[in-house]
Structure formats: C-alpha cells, structure tokens
Amino acid sequence: MSLEKGQLVYANTLEQRLVVQEKLGEGGQGEVYSVTDGENTYALKWYSFEQSTQEQKEAINYLVKQGGPTGIAGQRFIWPLDIITIEQIKEFGYLMPLIDTNRFAELGEVQAHRKPAPSLPTLCEISYQIANSYRALHLSGYCYRDIAAGNIMFDPNSGEVLICDNDNVGINRQSKSQVWGTMEYMAPELILAKADPSIETDLYALAVLLFNIWVWHHPFHGQMEYNIYVWDIPAKRRIYAEIPVFIFDPIDNRNKLPNDPEYSTANKRWNYCPASLQALFIRAFTDGIHNPSSRVTEGEWQQLFLQLKNGSINCNKCQAENLWDQAPLNCWHCNSEIPIAPKLVLTDETSQQIVLLTSNKQLFTESQLIGQVVQNPNNPKIWGIRNLTTMEWTALFPDGTKKVIEPQRAAPLRLGLKLKIGEVAAEIVA
C-alpha cells in the first residue's frame, strides 16, 4: 500500500501523529516518504505488504528501544526513531532523520558525475569514517548485514559520512533477518548458503565497498566477467562465490582487467592507491575471500586511512594530489619525484601516526583536530604548528629549553622539537 500526500500516520513510542508530505523514493523493501509533525520533518520508510512481517516489526522495535552505537561514530547511523503504523492496516514503517540530499551524495552520483568527486584526502576521511562507524557498530554487538554503496552517503567536500537503511541491523549471530545483503557485496559463504550474516561477512562487504569507493569498480569484474554474455544470477554466483578471482591478484591473472576502454578507469584509479592500500585490498580479495580470519578489520582500515590522510601532499610540478605512505614517492600523474616535507611523529599508548608538515596541513588524532601548520603573519618564511586544542602544550627544544604553547599560539616548526599534547607525544623529524 502506497501512502498519499496529507495522510496521517502514527508514531507509536512518541505517541504523536505525523502528516505525509511527499514520496522520496522506493526500493526492494518498500517506499520512503517525508513526513512532518508540524515543527520537524523526518523520513519514513514504509514497508510493502510482503515485508511487513511481525519479525521485522519486532526487530525495528528492538533497535528503537536499544538505540544505536554511541559517540561520534554512532551518530553517523541514521537510526530508527520509532515504529509508524496506520490503524487497522497490516503494513508499517519506521521513522528516521531526514538527510540533506543537496549536501550528501551517493557514490553512484559521484561516479555518474552528478556530484563532485572528493579529493584524495577527503576520500581518506570518508573511508576512515565508514570503517570507524562499522567498528563502533560491531563493538556494540551488532552486525549490519547489508553493507553496500547504496546505504552510504557522504559530503564530497568535508568527507562527513551518513549510514542509511539500518533496519536490517541485528545482534551478531543471533537475530534473524529478511535481508542477507546485496549480492555484489555478499561474502562467498553467504551466497553459497554455508553461513549466516555476521561481523565476518560484514568485513568482507566493507572491503568491497571501500574498493568501489577508491577504484570505482568491483574487485571481481575482470576478464572472467567480461567473457560472460548473460549476466544472470548463476553467472553472478559463479564470479562472486564459486570461482572468485581478484582483478589485481599478483599471482593469479585469470581475471585481470580486459583490454577494453570501459575498464580503463579502474586501472587508472588503482594506480592512485598507495602501495599500503593496495596491499590491504590484495589481502582482502585473496586470503580473505574464503578465510574469514584473514579479512581486514575495521581497525586496520581506520588506521591506514588516517595515516594516508596525514600523508597527503601535492606534486610540485603538476600539483596533482598524492598520498605518501612512508616510502619514496613519485607522482601518480606525471611520475615526478616528490620531495617529502618534514614530518611530525605522533605517538600514544596504542598507535603511531606520521604527519607530513605541508602548508596549512591540519593535524588530527583519530577524528579530533588538534593543530595546523601556519605561517608567521609578520614573517611568512617562518612556519609553526598552531595549538587548536583547549589545553596547553609543552614544547621541548633541541637545546633542552622548554616552553608552554597556549591554545591558539604556535610552536615553531624546527627539526628535533618535541611536543607533549595531552597523552600524545610528538616530535618533528626530517
């Protein structure tokens, strides 16, 4: 049953009526509408008759009562707010926050050039936030069960991420689900019905999603897929589950990219990826295909993308954006050697990050902005690191002298300078 403009619906927990405004879209499970309570506007996913089962209603009600993951990572989930019903009607839906689709884009819109493509540092931030949020979800005991590009939106300018369609989230290895995933993202053991959805199958889908975000291609769409003339379910089952071979497998070249212009974008974008990122993709789609224990974890993705963002640098010759990953760097675009700037090594109890101190570079620990490389307004030849926290830093100079760096003040950018930033130790090195 479709809803009509002006129709009244009822929010069960909030105990209030809302008015349907307009239809926003539809999918395999139902339709999405905008609704209002007179002051605020929300989105309503309204299930089709077939999807309006008692199991699904109980699952949504559980998510509403329990709430989503906490913290910044949890806030990225567009979590169900309430069950929505109409008296004497079997169908139901759920209420959720409304997304600003002018600001946020789907990957398909970017790939179709309807929305701007993110810069490489922003792509790192998008990837970091995705991994960070799924890590929070998994640590909360949930599995997502339908990680796919269609369920992710992002701001192409800031890299801020939103994760949509959370109605299939369930307790890991316990909750039943009407949805097992999108076939292109499903782990082979799911497609072959050898396992149920779990955190391990989420990790597989996460790797496919990140590969799509970076390479704009599917990891198994190569020569073997190219030779198939009828792209039906048995063909997908064969390519994705029965004989999956990574298109960039360093040993098995059966499924390498065909010599066809349609596949040139994937090859070009693969070359954007630093060696460290390529290595994780290779692991995910070789050992990780059939061995869940070898799959790349959210924490590994998170740490890598934070490091790559910290290593962003422009080529002096052609100004192309590059990502340094602690190795000599040649520009992906013009192949010129890129001199590596001085570096700030940030160390805490659990990890170490290396930040290239390029002009105006922002410094982060996890998602928290702590500082920025700035020029002295009175002498542009002098550079420093501005304290953008609310606490004082301690600076130890190579000659042994100490200085307090107050918020909004800058420490001079000198080799050998050591900084104490809360629990983080930092040092400028060549």
Side-chain angles (χ1 to χ4, degrees):
M1 153 184 173
S2 294
L3 303 181
E4 302 292 335
K5 183 176 181 179
Q7 189 168 0
L8 293 176
V9 296
Y10 185 71
N12 290 11
T13 303
L14 298 174
E15 297 184 343
Q16 66 182 102
R17 296 197 179 278
L18 301 105
V19 181
V20 176
Q21 293 184 307
E22 62 177 327
K23 182 177 176 179
L24 300 176
E26 58 184 291
Q29 290 182 288
E31 300 172 333
V32 179
Y33 299 85
S34 63
V35 296
T36 181
D37 60 6
E39 295 183 7
N40 303 296
T41 302
Y42 304 91
L44 162 62
K45 181 172 181 178
W46 187 253
Y47 289 108
S48 64
F49 182 85
E50 294 77 16
Q51 295 290 324
S52 296
T53 65
Q54 185 60 31
E55 278 187 354
Q56 185 69 3
K57 181 180 283 189
E58 290 173 358
I60 297 296
N61 198 41
Y62 178 85
L63 296 177
V64 170
K65 289 182 177 179
Q66 294 297 315
T70 58
I72 295 174
Q75 292 171 7
R76 300 184 188 115
F77 290 94
I78 305 301
W79 203 259
L81 300 173
D82 205 349
I83 294 279
I84 301 295
T85 57
I86 298 175
E87 192 174 351
Q88 297 184 341
I89 297 293
K90 179 200 172 186
E91 292 98 316
F92 65 93
Y94 72 90
L95 195 68
M96 56 184 161
L98 185 67
I99 297 172
D100 181 356
T101 54
N102 290 320
R103 178 187 169 198
F104 288 91
E106 294 184 19
L107 180 60
E109 293 179 297
V110 173
Q111 293 172 336
H113 306 290
R114 295 197 301 272
K115 295 281 180 73
S119 66
L120 290 182
T122 303
L123 208 55
C124 291
E125 179 64 18
I126 290 167
S127 304
Y128 170 86
Q129 289 195 17
I130 290 171
N132 180 242
S133 287
Y134 281 120
R135 182 172 183 268
L137 185 80
H138 292 154
L139 289 174
S140 297
Y142 292 117
C143 62
Y144 187 83
R145 302 194 282 209
D146 192 18
I147 295 176
N151 295 335
I152 299 289
M153 299 190 76
F154 53 84
D155 183 329
N157 298 308
S158 70
E160 185 178 342
V161 165
L162 297 176
I163 300 176
C164 319
D165 288 344
N166 296 286
D167 49 327
N168 296 307
V169 170
I171 301 172
N172 185 46
R173 300 189 183 281
Q174 291 185 32
S175 306
K176 293 182 179 180
S177 175
Q178 296 179 173
V179 173
W180 277 36
T182 303
M183 195 168 186
E184 286 76 5
Y185 292 82
M186 289 169 64
E189 64 266 29
L190 281 179
I191 296 175
L192 299 175
K194 294 181 178 180
D196 292 332
S198 66
I199 289 175
E200 286 75 20
T201 61
D202 272 4
L203 293 181
Y204 185 88
L206 176 60
V208 178
L209 171 63
L210 292 171
F211 187 84
N212 194 358
I213 286 173
W214 279 86
V215 185
W216 289 15
H217 203 78
H218 192 281
F220 302 142
H221 286 185
Q223 190 66 51
M224 293 165 64
E225 172 253 350
Y226 186 76
N227 293 336
I228 294 174
Y229 294 99
V230 180
W231 190 238
D232 54 9
I233 296 298
K236 291 183 178 182
R237 179 184 172 92
R238 181 173 175 79
I239 294 298
Y240 299 147
E242 294 174 349
I243 50 167
V245 179
F246 185 37
I247 57 177
F248 295 114
D249 190 310
I251 298 173
D252 188 342
N253 64 3
R254 287 178 296 162
N255 199 28
K256 64 182 180 180
L257 290 174
N259 185 20
D260 186 311
E262 290 291 321
Y263 292 75
S264 61
T265 296
N267 199 54
K268 181 179 179 181
R269 292 188 64 88
W270 175 252
N271 290 326
Y272 291 169
C273 299
S276 55
L277 179 55
Q278 291 182 354
L280 281 193
F281 282 137
I282 289 169
R283 187 180 119 205
F285 302 121
T286 54
D287 293 345
I289 292 176
H290 298 296
N291 186 0
S293 65
S294 293
R295 289 173 183 164
V296 184
T297 65
E298 323 89 318
E300 289 177 283
W301 290 120
Q302 181 178 285
Q303 186 172 357
L304 175 65
F305 288 122
L306 180 59
Q307 178 60 70
L308 291 179
K309 182 180 178 181
N310 286 336
S312 62
I313 187 170
N314 287 1
C315 173
N316 290 336
K317 184 175 180 180
C318 71
Q319 295 304 306
E321 291 176 322
N322 284 259
L323 298 173
W324 174 76
D325 64 348
Q326 303 183 46
L329 182 63
N330 286 73
C331 177
W332 65 265
H333 183 259
C334 70
N335 203 39
S336 299
E337 183 179 352
I338 299 177
I340 301 304
K343 299 171 279 289
L344 183 70
V345 181
L346 297 163
T347 307
D348 61 21
E349 292 182 355
T350 60
S351 64
Q352 183 180 88
Q353 292 292 325
I354 302 175
V355 184
L356 293 188
L357 296 175
T358 54
S359 175
N360 299 315
K361 174 62 69 70
Q362 293 182 319
L363 313 178
F364 291 86
T365 55
E366 297 293 323
S367 284
Q368 174 121 18
L369 178 64
I370 62 169
Q372 185 171 12
V373 176
V374 294
Q375 286 176 291
N376 187 315
N378 299 319
N379 187 348
K381 292 182 179 181
I382 298 177
W383 291 82
I385 302 174
R386 176 169 289 151
N387 178 358
L388 296 181
T389 70
T390 57
M391 59 186 173
E392 294 179 342
W393 297 355
T394 301
L396 176 64
F397 293 87
D399 64 3
T401 59
K402 289 185 178 181
K403 183 180 179 181
V404 172
I405 310 299
E406 298 175 343
Q408 297 304 316
R409 305 295 292 179
L413 204 165
R414 296 180 190 171
L415 292 178
L417 176 70
K418 295 181 180 180
L419 296 170
K420 186 66 174 174
I421 307 170
E423 299 300 317
V424 177
E427 182 176 4
I428 300 175
V429 301

